[in-house]
């Protein structure tokens, strides 16, 4: 039986490393993004994965793996933006951004382990393309929630949907890195 915690820690480490390097390149410039813009950025990444899965050919020298990493990192950015609100300027340090990244990644990982316990690692039997479809479905849900001013009657909010998208992306990365 694969060690889920170890595999998660390894793919999270890859995502965090990319996030940290981009912070060095750009700083937390994403602080100006409104939550709807983060959702649209996530949509672009998920849609590209689905396009590559269907076409089986990439004209840009990046495959599916970097897009899953981007979904993880933009998902965390989305959680930060939901909590702090957007800003008209870069208003936090890179160090603060990394602290927030770690905080929201820990919360997301804890959610995954709770669900993983209840679902008995059913994700391991799923196809990577199913993660893509679930991410896209979650994005359409988030867009609907955003169009309703963030209000839901019985459904989870935007934050829970972001967390699920992050976890589906981490599942995809585990399968890509460690095999089916």
């Amino acid at each position: 039986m694969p060690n889920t915690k170890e595999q998660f820690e390894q793919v999270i480490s890859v995502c965090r490393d990319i996030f940290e390097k981009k912070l060095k390149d750009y700083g937390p410039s994403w602080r100006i993004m409104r939550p709807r813009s983060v959702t649209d950025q996530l949509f672009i990444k998920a849609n590209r994965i689905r396009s590559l899965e269907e076409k089986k050919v990439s004209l840009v020298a990046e495959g599916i793996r970097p897009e899953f990493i981007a979904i993880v990192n933009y998902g965390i950015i989305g959680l930060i933006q939901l909590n702090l609100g957007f800003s008209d300027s870069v208003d936090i340090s890179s160090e603060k951004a990394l602290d927030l990244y770690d905080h929201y990644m820990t919360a997301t990982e804890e959610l995954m382990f709770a669900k993983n316990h209840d679902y008995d690692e059913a994700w391991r039997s799923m196809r990577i393309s199913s993660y893509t479809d679930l991410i896209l479905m979650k994005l359409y849900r988030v867009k609907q929630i955003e169009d309703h001013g963030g209000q839901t009657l019985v459904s989870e909010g935007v934050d829970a949907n972001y967390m699920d998208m992050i976890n589906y992306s981490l599942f995809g990365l585990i399968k890509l890195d460690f095999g089916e």
Side-chain angles (χ1 to χ4, degrees), residues 24-101:
K24 287 181 180 160
D25 287 346
Y26 310 123
S29 56
W30 43 263
R31 284 290 294 132
I32 67 153
M33 292 180 79
R34 293 171 284 189
R36 288 173 180 246
S37 298
V38 176
T39 300
D40 287 344
Q41 188 65 30
L42 286 162
F43 178 79
I44 289 167
K45 300 300 183 181
N47 201 57
R48 182 166 187 270
I49 293 171
R50 186 169 170 146
S51 174
L52 292 174
E53 288 171 346
E54 291 299 308
K55 293 175 185 171
K56 312 248 189 279
V57 174
S58 172
L59 298 182
V60 177
E62 293 179 349
I64 290 171
R65 188 174 184 274
E67 303 299 349
F68 275 128
I69 292 169
I71 292 171
V72 169
N73 289 341
Y74 275 109
I76 296 293
I77 287 169
L79 291 169
I80 293 169
Q81 295 300 82
L82 286 173
N83 180 262
L84 296 183
F86 66 92
S87 176
D88 290 330
S89 63
V90 176
D91 62 346
I92 62 173
S93 67
S94 293
E95 294 76 22
K96 177 69 174 171
L98 271 177
D99 288 344
L100 289 165
Y101 184 97

Side-chain angles (χ1 to χ4, degrees), residues 11-21 69 72-73 98-99 101-102 105:
V11 295
I12 287 170
S13 176
V14 168
C15 295
R16 188 185 188 280
D17 183 60
I18 297 287
F19 187 84
E20 186 173 18
K21 287 176 178 169
I69 292 169
V72 169
N73 289 341
L98 271 177
D99 288 344
Y101 184 97
D102 293 339
M105 183 58 81

